[in-house]
């Protein structure tokens, strides 16, 4: 057994999605597309007599992290540092869950493969209702297109072959669990339309256009987010809303040009990695 | 149309493989496992009246690169800089082919997806007989396990969730095309055994052990490579042979400890990326 292991998991902004429930959480998930980010979460796991989870110095409960530790049959201290806020559409819970799986496998020498670890993390997120597609996107890196839902043994992924500077501003939290437990019919229709647009033309302009239409048609846009997107459009930029958070993201210098003081990062070329 | 675009493609050392011919080159390929490397190839594509290929300042013909340009219906100057020697088991031809596909798609705004570009590059390599699994591994990054052969619409990939410092020494070239066009029955048997070992235990020690057995059982070991592997074993290290080149690779400081003056790099966390 090693003393500790650390994994870095990129953040993930979902531009649009449709939900695909299944009684087996490793087969459930979402279709959609998003951006993985150089801003992400660093997760360190070390063996401990009982399991605890700490995020940026605060102890908290994150159900899928607990599930991963239980599935791997270990007790550990999980310490995460995040460049991104929790609950704001950046996949922080997915990052903590996947990072815990990768680091715990290394520390406790569980000899599982990458696909097995991603499956465990994805299933734990789906079961907890905290995410449907973040984990598989964060394992992939880049700008993943989720063509078919589920964990790595089930899903089909493609990607937009591009990189981008990304700016974002977050106004607060939205509960993924609340939205996903509500009425999702309109969301499914809008998500399918957006996906078929991006499959037809897998480029950044097509992705952000499809994402913006999705945000409007599903009624998920909040006033502050709408204002942000319009301000970016007003200076000739391209922005949309992070699903699901009260967060605007833009390519290039869209938000700076519109007078905001955004956080700045880039799309992340790699998926989650051990450090 | 943009002026030019540049892609970086990691090198790829195959540890073991089995060949899987198919009349459709996007379905043909190999099973096996290998290491993608931070040492790789940078490929810049710019539009030109006729197509030329330059590697480290020398003009040359690389059939799969030409095929990719023709498939994308473009003429371009392709300029590559490689940290790795050609023909020595590092997937340089695969890297040039995949890098050309990614960069040409960006320059000429062909709006193809990542999977489509990888399929084109993989098919071109298979058709040319210069490689069977490098392109899909180089698109994936990390330490890919190729469970099922073919391009991204056909294959099944997993990975060893680890990183490593890699040392290598190259004594010269072996022709991939010559080995692949010869008798491959024994190779297929040894490749399957190696794969099942690594699937059972997807770790670095299991990978290098399986690779070494494969090199011995297939009779591909040359005297210089055997000597290098034994020298590394003599100082308690782990080494094997890059398939297909007269090249020894080792984890950690194996070759340095054994008195060689190796090149040093690491496994690459990401697949091929546009810069």
């Amino acid at each position: 057994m090693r003393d500790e292991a650390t994994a870095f998991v990129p953040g993930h902004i979902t531009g649009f999605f449709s939900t695909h429930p299944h009684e087996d959480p490793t087969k459930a998930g979402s279709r959609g597309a998003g951006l993985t980010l150089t801003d992400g979460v660093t997760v360190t796991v070390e063996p401990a007599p009982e399991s605890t989870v700490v995020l940026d110095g605060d102890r908290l409960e994150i159900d899928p992290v607990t599930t991963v530790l239980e599935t791997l049959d270990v007790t550990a201290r999980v310490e995460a540092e995040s460049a991104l806020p929790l609950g704001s559409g950046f996949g922080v819970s997915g990052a903590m869950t996947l990072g815990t799986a990768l680091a715990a496998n290394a520390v406790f020498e569980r000899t599982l493969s990458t696909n097995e670890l991603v499956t465990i993390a994805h299933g734990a997120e789906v079961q907890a209702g905290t995410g449907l597609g973040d984990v598989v996107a964060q394992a992939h890196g880049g700008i993943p297109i989720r063509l078919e839902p589920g964990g790595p043994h089930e899903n089909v992924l493609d990607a937009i072959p591009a990189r981008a500077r990304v700016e974002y501003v977050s106004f607060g939290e939205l509960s993924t669990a609340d939205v996903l437990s509500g009425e999702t019919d309109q969301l499914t229709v809008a998500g399918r339309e957006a996906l078929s647009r991006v499959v037809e033309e897998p480029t950044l302009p097509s992705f952000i256009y499809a994402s913006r239409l999705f945000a409007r048609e599903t009624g998920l846009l909040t006033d502050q987010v709408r204002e942000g997107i319009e301000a970016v459009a007003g200076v000739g930029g391209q922005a949309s809303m992070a699903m699901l958070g009260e967060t605007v993201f833009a390519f290039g210098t869209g938000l700076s040009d519109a007078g905001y003081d955004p956080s700045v990062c880039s799309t992340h070329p790699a998926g989650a990695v051990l450090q």
Side-chain angles (χ1 to χ4, degrees), chain A residues 140-252:
Chain A
H140 185 282
I143 308 174
I145 306 173
R146 288 170 284 120
L147 296 170
E148 295 295 342
H153 297 107
E154 301 292 329
N155 67 22
V156 178
L157 302 181
D158 198 348
I160 297 174
R163 289 177 82 158
R165 181 183 198 268
V166 179
E167 295 189 343
Y168 59 89
V169 172
S170 207
F171 306 113
E173 300 189 12
L174 280 183
S175 163
T176 299
D178 285 356
V179 174
L180 296 184
S181 64
E183 183 54 66
T184 57
D185 282 1
Q186 199 180 356
L187 200 149
T188 300
V189 173
R192 280 195 190 144
E193 266 172 36
L195 184 59
S196 89
R197 186 179 296 274
V198 168
V199 166
E200 184 139 333
E201 191 180 312
T203 64
L204 294 174
S206 141
F207 165 77
I208 198 109
Y209 180 76
S211 298
R212 212 158 47 226
L213 270 186
F214 175 85
R216 277 195 202 121
E217 283 170 10
T218 53
L220 288 167
L221 271 185
T222 62
D223 288 344
Q224 273 187 303
V225 169
R226 184 194 312 273
E227 210 172 278
I229 293 173
E230 284 171 1
V232 173
V235 294
Q238 296 273 11
S240 191
M241 173 180 173
M243 299 294 160
L244 294 157
E246 198 158 352
T247 297
V248 187
F249 69 96
F251 288 135

Side-chain angles (χ1 to χ4, degrees), chain A residues 61-86:
Chain A
E61 294 289 325
I62 301 202
D63 288 345
V65 171
T66 309
T67 305
V68 164
L69 294 174
E70 285 171 2
T71 306
L72 295 179
D73 197 21
V74 302
T75 57
R77 176 180 164 83
V78 175
E79 185 148 2
E81 284 177 30
S82 177
L84 299 160
L86 190 65

